[in-house]
């Protein structure tokens, strides 16, 4: 089960993933209370992997234990010819004691793809279209423009 939650009192967006050996359709009041205790004891901390930490002995409640923390920041840019998503990800897995911070980029060259699928484009045009899109991305990153 995965749930996206907005924790206004923590100024935090949270994606909670629960793994269970059994299938359940609804959480009991005790289970919900255990999850609330975990969320309420979380301390936002930009100095730790994942961006959240728990006080000693507070990373579990009832049958639930924190196994990992992810902190994501997204930026998205669109134009008629391309769609660019940049995601900064900061992860920490408690079980292994490992973490990582990555920048993930997803680039969709919409116009080029449609021209290739329609068979209306040659190799030189693909290359030039790709160069133009990269030039546009470079301009955006240098000037910080979010509208293009």
């Amino acid at each position: 089960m995965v749930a996206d939650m907005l924790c206004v009192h923590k100024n935090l967006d949270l994606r909670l993933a629960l793994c269970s050996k059994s299938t359940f359709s609804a959480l009991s009041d005790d289970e919900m209370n255990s999850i609330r205790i975990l969320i309420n004891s979380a301390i936002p901390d930009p100095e730790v992997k994942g961006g959240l930490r728990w006080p000693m002995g507070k990373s579990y409640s009832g049958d639930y234990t924190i196994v990992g923390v992810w902190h994501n920041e997204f930026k998205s840019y669109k134009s008629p010819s391309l769609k660019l998503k940049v995601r900064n990800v900061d992860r920490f897995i408690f079980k292994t004691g490992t973490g990582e911070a990555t920048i993930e980029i997803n680039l969709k060259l919409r116009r080029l793809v449609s021209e290739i699928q329609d068979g209306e484009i040659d190799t030189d045009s693909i290359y030039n279209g790709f160069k133009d899109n990269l030039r546009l991305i470079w301009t955006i990153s240098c000037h910080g423009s979010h509208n293009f």
Side-chain angles (χ1 to χ4, degrees):
M1 179 173 94
V2 175
D4 290 323
M5 294 178 247
L6 177 61
C7 303
V8 177
H9 64 285
K10 294 273 187 188
N11 192 22
L12 183 66
D13 287 334
L14 179 68
R15 171 164 280 178
L16 182 63
L18 301 175
C19 296
S20 175
K21 292 179 182 177
S22 60
T23 304
F24 51 90
S25 58
L27 296 172
S28 69
D29 289 342
D30 287 343
E31 290 170 322
M32 286 301 294
N33 190 46
S34 292
I35 293 168
R36 274 190 208 96
I37 289 170
L38 285 173
I39 292 169
N40 289 334
S41 61
I43 301 168
D45 185 348
E47 300 299 317
V48 299
K49 294 272 186 236
L52 287 176
R53 66 179 173 82
W54 280 261
M56 192 66 101
K58 299 284 187 172
S59 63
Y60 58 89
S61 178
D63 291 336
Y64 299 99
T65 301
I66 303 297
V67 295
V69 179
W70 285 38
H71 178 249
N72 298 312
E73 293 178 357
F74 292 91
K75 288 188 179 178
S76 182
Y77 308 95
K78 281 186 186 180
S79 81
S81 63
L82 67 87
K83 186 175 184 179
L84 174 68
K85 290 181 183 179
V86 180
R87 183 168 85 154
N88 291 318
V89 182
D90 190 6
R91 307 174 178 100
F92 185 78
I93 308 302
F94 286 89
K95 185 176 182 178
T96 60
T98 60
E100 67 179 345
T102 61
I103 297 173
E104 299 171 358
I105 297 172
N106 183 335
L107 175 62
K108 293 182 181 179
L109 303 172
R110 296 164 13 163
R111 185 174 298 149
L112 268 165
V113 169
S114 66
E115 289 174 358
I116 290 170
Q117 288 173 338
D118 294 341
E120 302 171 356
I121 195 164
D122 59 40
T123 307
D124 289 337
S125 297
I126 292 171
Y127 176 73
N128 290 331
F130 189 69
K131 272 189 353 186
D132 292 343
N133 284 312
L134 286 177
R135 189 176 300 116
L136 180 59
I137 292 167
W138 184 256
T139 301
I140 292 166
S141 65
C142 290
H143 300 295
S145 173
H146 293 65
N147 303 316
F148 61 93

